[in-house]
Amino acid sequence: MNTHAHPLPATASASQPLSGRVRVPGDKSISHRSFMFGGLASGQTRITGLLEGEDVLRTGEAMKAMGARIEKHGDEWVIDGVGNGCLLEPSAPLDFGNAGTGARLTMGLVGTYDMATTFVGDPSLSKRPMGRVLAPLREMGVQVIDAAPSDRLPLTLRGPRRAAPITYRVPMASAQVKSAVLLAALNTPGTTTVVEPVMTRDHTEKMLKGFGAEIDVETDSDGVRHIRITGEGTLSGQTIAVPGDPSSAAFPLVAALIVPGSDIVIENVLMNPTRTGLIDTLLEMGADIEVLDRRDAGGEAVADLRVRHSHLKGTRVPPSRAPFMIDEYPVLAVAASFAEGETVMDGIEELRVKESDRLAAVARGLEANGVDCTEGEASLTVRGVPGGKGLGGGMVETHLDHRIAMSFLVMGLASHKSVSIDDRAMIATSFPEFMDLMTGLGAPIE
Ligand code: S3P
């Protein structure tokens, strides 16, 4: 079922070899945090390379509603922040659209303020669990004064006079939950500790340190991370160059691997090790991906990726890799559909609470296009067809999920018959340039 008011279908057909050099838009996780931390810090923050997708722009609007000044001058976003502890009460609900990261991190950021803040979102976001963020916030003294059943949006938070620092062990592998607690700690006296048994993307820790927060990370002998942050300090504006999003690079990357004869370069891709699980997996599957000119860009590793068509072989993706490629399973499943043999993806229960139930959405999409696959409670097994003979011909339901939309358009480029999606509109949440970038490489998508 599609719940979008004016769905815009799209179709991808068998492609000639893809070629060219491209740059994907800025990393979504770093872009959200740039707006949030810049809006909170004292003084000016200057951002280049920001992802101007709908999700991130919503975060910008939320920060403006709480007192930050945010303007675009040429290629640069310039933010005058309010100062840590000085966010203003928004006069209207904060609307995060489709964005889980924007909503959940902002709940942490403002939850500990002694003011009422209401969060709303689109039908996809309104179905997603917020209790995972509200549980630690409640321990810190935050009241949920109104919420839809089972702690869903729309919901309203009110912080205490003074929040309580806590020690919180994150019960699932979620950078959003970890980050919400760390952000709540910024407006909390004393030291808050987040215990992270399974490491997830570390952009919050790294960036907060850059903004001057008192934060340190210790990894114990069991590999458990202890992140300690002391609140009520000063954050100072920074200059940020946002690297290209590896989760967006994944689409042209997999397209080049599965379309015969392709040879492309994707420039300036973030190579933070908590984000490169897809590349590691594809290399194990025999992908021809060359990592060129690995360099440092403002504290993060980046590189250019040269990608050529490859004969992929099925693999077993270990559950331990899931946090490092969590958003890339849909497009990995597409790559696996063209690989020789079976690809088994285990330990991927978190896919069920993304913009859609991605495990089910991927399985239904693959089945609609003739791929033999098995959906488990927390696993997906795909039996590939090298060359894509007989694949395609289906219409895929995207369920308001940008990554389902892009993954299946990539699938159509190497399938025997074309692949259609019911709605391309949500692609604008994370990768507004997707259609132009792909057609620029030679992909027949319309
Ligand atoms: C994100 C964390 C991940 C990821 C999302 C972005 C972040 O979500 O799926 O796209 O920026 O912190 P979870 O924390 O729910 O795993």
Side-chain angles (χ1 to χ4, degrees), residues 72-94:
K72 193 168 181 198
H73 297 161
D75 288 342
E76 198 176 51
W77 287 85
V78 180
I79 308 182
D80 287 299
V82 295
N84 186 27
C86 301
L87 290 170
L88 303 178
E89 180 162 353
S91 58
L94 303 177

Side-chain angles (χ1 to χ4, degrees), residues 26 101 155 171 193 205 210-211 216 230 245 296 315 329-330 346 351 360 375 390 404 416 426 432 434:
T101 306
L155 64 81
T193 304
E205 299 92 298
F211 275 83
D216 67 74
T230 301
D245 194 332
D296 180 89
T315 192
Y329 281 95
D346 279 327
L351 290 199
E375 176 193 353
I404 298 298
H416 194 56
M426 301 317 288
F434 174 80

Side-chain angles (χ1 to χ4, degrees), residues 28-29 33 101 104 132 173-176 201 326-327 354:
K28 183 150 75 79
S29 293
R33 288 161 174 81
T101 306
R104 293 196 178 116
R132 51 178 56 202
S174 169
Q176 293 179 357
R201 67 190 66 194
I326 193 66
D327 292 335
K354 296 296 176 188

Side-chain angles (χ1 to χ4, degrees), residues 341-359:
E342 197 172 80
T343 297
V344 183
M345 300 162 241
D346 279 327
I348 53 174
E349 60 279 1
E350 278 293 307
L351 290 199
R352 296 215 181 265
V353 290
K354 296 296 176 188
E355 285 81 332
S356 67
D357 174 346
R358 283 189 178 152
L359 199 32

Side-chain angles (χ1 to χ4, degrees), residues 102-121:
R104 293 196 178 116
L105 268 60
T106 305
M107 284 179 198
L109 194 70
V110 307
T112 52
Y113 281 68
D114 182 12
M115 63 189 195
T117 312
T118 298
F119 295 78
V120 300

Side-chain angles (χ1 to χ4, degrees), residues 130-423:
M130 297 297 152
R132 51 178 56 202
V133 171
L134 300 181
L137 293 182
R138 283 177 166 125
E139 284 185 32
M140 297 176 90
V142 180
Q143 290 181 64
V144 181
I145 53 182
D146 199 11
S150 313
D151 282 339
R152 302 295 205 262
L153 298 189
L155 64 81
T156 302
L157 302 182
R158 172 175 277 286
R161 281 266 166 73
R162 266 172 109 58
I166 59 169
T167 294
Y168 192 71
R169 194 180 173 92
V170 184
M172 69 289 287
S174 169
Q176 293 179 357
V177 175
K178 164 179 68 179
S179 300
V181 181
L182 294 174
L183 300 187
L186 289 173
N187 189 47
T188 300
T191 300
T192 296
T193 304
V194 176
V195 181
E196 192 180 40
V198 179
M199 187 176 184
T200 60
R201 67 190 66 194
D202 58 355
H203 307 303
T204 300
E205 299 92 298
K206 279 184 143 173
M207 290 178 71
L208 282 180
K209 197 156 192 79
F211 275 83
E214 217 181 307
I215 180 169
D216 67 74
V217 184
E218 198 191 314
T219 306
D220 69 21
S221 53
D222 295 326
V224 176
R225 297 174 83 232
H226 300 256
I227 310 161
R228 295 187 188 85
I229 180 164
T230 301
E232 300 188 323
T234 303
L235 302 181
S236 311
Q238 297 297 302
T239 300
I240 301 169
V242 183
D245 194 332
S247 301
S248 296
F251 301 107
L253 191 158
V254 168
L257 290 176
I258 62 177
V259 173
S262 297
D263 185 353
I264 68 167
V265 174
I266 312 170
E267 296 174 348
N268 194 43
V269 180
L270 174 68
M271 296 294 284
N272 177 313
T274 63
R275 301 291 301 282
T276 51
L278 175 73
I279 294 176
D280 298 338
T281 301
L282 289 169
L283 287 172
E284 286 170 13
M285 294 172 77
D288 185 348
I289 304 171
E290 261 183 276
V291 178
L292 306 170
D293 192 15
R294 195 185 266 272
R295 55 205 183 265
D296 180 89
E300 287 286 8
V302 300
D304 303 332
L305 303 177
R306 180 170 183 192
V307 188
R308 281 172 275 199
H309 171 250
S310 307
H311 295 284
L312 300 174
K313 292 204 173 60
T315 192
R316 180 172 272 274
V317 189
S320 57
R321 199 173 288 155
F324 302 156
M325 56 176 292
I326 193 66
D327 292 335
E328 283 69 77
Y329 281 95
V331 79
L332 175 66
V334 168
S337 301
F338 297 90
E340 186 188 321
E342 197 172 80
T343 297
V344 183
M345 300 162 241
D346 279 327
I348 53 174
E349 60 279 1
E350 278 293 307
L351 290 199
R352 296 215 181 265
V353 290
K354 296 296 176 188
E355 285 81 332
S356 67
D357 174 346
R358 283 189 178 152
L359 199 32
V362 169
R364 297 297 86 71
L366 293 178
E367 285 161 6
N369 288 289
V371 179
D372 179 14
C373 65
T374 308
E375 176 193 353
E377 199 44 54
S379 67
L380 182 66
T381 301
V382 176
R383 286 164 282 273
V385 180
K389 196 157 191 314
L391 299 189
M395 165 63 84
V396 176
E397 292 181 36
T398 52
H399 302 279
L400 293 177
D401 190 328
H402 54 133
R403 298 200 201 283
I404 298 298
M406 291 185 277
S407 297
F408 281 97
L409 289 175
V410 166
M411 181 176 192
L413 302 178
S415 297
H416 194 56
K417 291 168 270 177
S418 56
V419 173
S420 296
I421 59 167
D422 62 359
D423 192 7

